[in-house]
Amino acid sequence: MKIVIVGAGEVGFHIASRLALENKDVVVIDSDQQALKRLTENVDVQTLAGSGSSPTILETAGIREAEIILAVTDSDEVNLVACLVADTLSPSTKKLARLRGADFDRYHDAFKTSAPHIDTVINPDIEVVRTIERLMSVPGAVDVGEFADGRIKFVGVYLEPGSRLAGVRLADLPAVLKDERPLIAAVVRDDQLIIPKGNNHLRAGDLVYFISEEKNLFNHLSIFDKHATPVKRVMIIGGGRIGYRLAKQLEARSLSCKVIENRAARCDFLAERLDRTVVLHGDGSDQSLLVEENIHDTDLVVTLTSDEETNILASLLAKRLGAAKTITQINKFSYFSLMSTIGIEQVVSPRLSAINSILQHIRRGKVLSAISIKGEEGEVMEALALPTSDIVSKPLRKIAFPKGSMVAGIIRREKIIIPTGESIIEPDDRIIIFATREAIPGVEKILAVKLEYI
């Protein structure tokens, strides 16, 4: 698979890194020599200096042989033109563009049918707001994903000290829990992602990922001592694009909302366009302002400024002053592993949201969605079982799944099956697979049509 990436920023860098580890043929285009230097020093990919919207540069990059072009620069206009030019030079190449401007929202579907033809438009701001709403709806969760149109949830929670599950072997869970229990699909311990087996034990402090049907979710959360706490009052620190989108969504849900923004002109913009949201001009890390605005009575504080250090500080301060819960926006992947250490558990990232949106479109086989686990340590995928793939019509125990992967769910029409070793995947089933980063190429192989590998 050959992939051309336009843009060597954070999203382009991390997508290129991941694809290079999977031995894909990647060419990255950028006019920023420093960004390309960073890539060549850290990642085994080809780089090309120049504008990704230039026909000459795209030709040189091999656009006619590429299966996919990813236009992920910080400029919506460059991404659009890159896809327009790529569509002219190589109509068969699949085109994905990151477009963050709200003005483009209503045209996403039109781009799929008109010039420039774009197969997929990715707006990470929209995805971040959806992630925040999912985290709001699942008490105690630090990670939430949805499959099968929301009927299956995959949830990450920390195992608290004193939990009855601490020290329990997975094979003994039926005896401990008795009733219907969640399927534990992955554990993060000491920054290592583990796809557990029956003889593995759970430990206090583990980040445990489990699969649950939506109807059983709150019962399963209570097993981990996580209980429903309705969110009624929300404070948003940072009134940029994402803060504005989130406030609009919260207004639609009739929730009490305040936005703190330090740019006076932006406050005017927000006040004109928001109906019931209270817009405050000030610094979200100002302790006296937070106290004045009754931070101790706030159910949720979401820090969404463009400066992640400010977000971290404001979240820590809000918790110290009595806010029940915080969600913090982070962009630097190097910060992710530090967050739980300093007491920040719920984190969102526009760049990670963009990467998750892109992944499903570059996986071989019929992958319907893909979500990163623990930054970049692994993925959980929802895929369609193709009739000619290696995984259908035989018990799971007889399928040579790569080490570090497991089938966590089977969706057959309206029925959801939590699998055992005797379960058989039928053609056109939708399956949920957890996999470590190292196992992903092998998972792709068994998901794909056999003829691709003859």
Side-chain angles (χ1 to χ4, degrees), residues 131-294:
T131 300
I132 292 170
E133 290 186 294
R134 286 197 296 267
L135 289 171
M136 288 173 59
S137 66
V138 182
V142 299
D143 214 346
V144 181
E146 295 183 343
F147 300 106
D149 304 315
R151 290 182 294 137
I152 291 184
K153 308 286 188 185
F154 109 90
V155 180
V157 295
Y158 279 103
L159 195 63
E160 303 293 341
S163 168
R164 58 177 169 156
L165 299 185
V168 173
R169 194 170 63 120
L170 290 185
D172 298 330
L173 281 180
V176 174
L177 299 178
K178 302 288 192 284
D179 300 325
E180 186 175 347
R181 61 198 179 281
L183 173 68
I184 294 177
V187 173
V188 176
R189 179 182 300 154
D190 299 328
D191 285 333
Q192 296 297 314
L193 178 67
I194 304 165
I195 303 296
K197 300 185 182 299
N199 60 354
N200 288 119
H201 291 74
L202 296 177
R203 297 180 190 170
D206 283 351
L207 175 54
V208 179
Y209 285 93
F210 67 87
I211 292 284
S212 174
E213 289 188 62
E214 185 177 32
K215 63 182 181 182
N216 299 323
L217 178 60
F218 288 99
N219 288 336
H220 290 161
L221 284 167
S222 67
I223 292 170
F224 296 93
D225 303 314
K226 313 296 181 185
H227 303 283
T229 51
V231 173
K232 297 179 180 178
R233 293 174 294 276
V234 181
M235 179 179 289
I236 301 169
I237 296 176
R241 291 190 316 268
I242 299 174
Y244 171 61
R245 284 182 185 273
L246 178 59
K248 290 289 284 185
Q249 290 295 102
L250 297 179
E251 283 191 344
R253 294 169 55 176
S254 299
L255 296 181
S256 172
C257 181
K258 295 178 181 178
V259 177
I260 298 178
E261 169 58 48
N262 64 1
R263 295 169 294 170
R266 185 66 180 178
C267 286
D268 293 339
F269 173 93
L270 295 170
E272 289 173 3
R273 289 164 175 78
L274 295 170
D275 297 325
R276 295 181 300 277
T277 298
V278 177
V279 180
L280 303 166
H281 179 218
D283 180 356
S285 60
D286 181 345
Q287 179 170 332
S288 60
L289 175 60
L290 296 179
V291 171
E292 184 179 327
E293 294 302 324
N294 301 313

Side-chain angles (χ1 to χ4, degrees), residues 405-421:
S405 66
M406 70 175 293
V407 175
I410 300 172
I411 305 145
R412 184 168 299 147
R413 292 176 290 277
E414 296 303 312
K415 185 178 180 182
I416 297 171
I417 302 166
I418 301 299
T420 67

Side-chain angles (χ1 to χ4, degrees), residues 316 319 326 338-346:
L316 292 172
K319 290 184 73 172
T326 63
L338 304 174
M339 291 301 97
S340 60
T341 305
I342 63 175
I344 293 177
E345 294 184 347
Q346 294 189 311

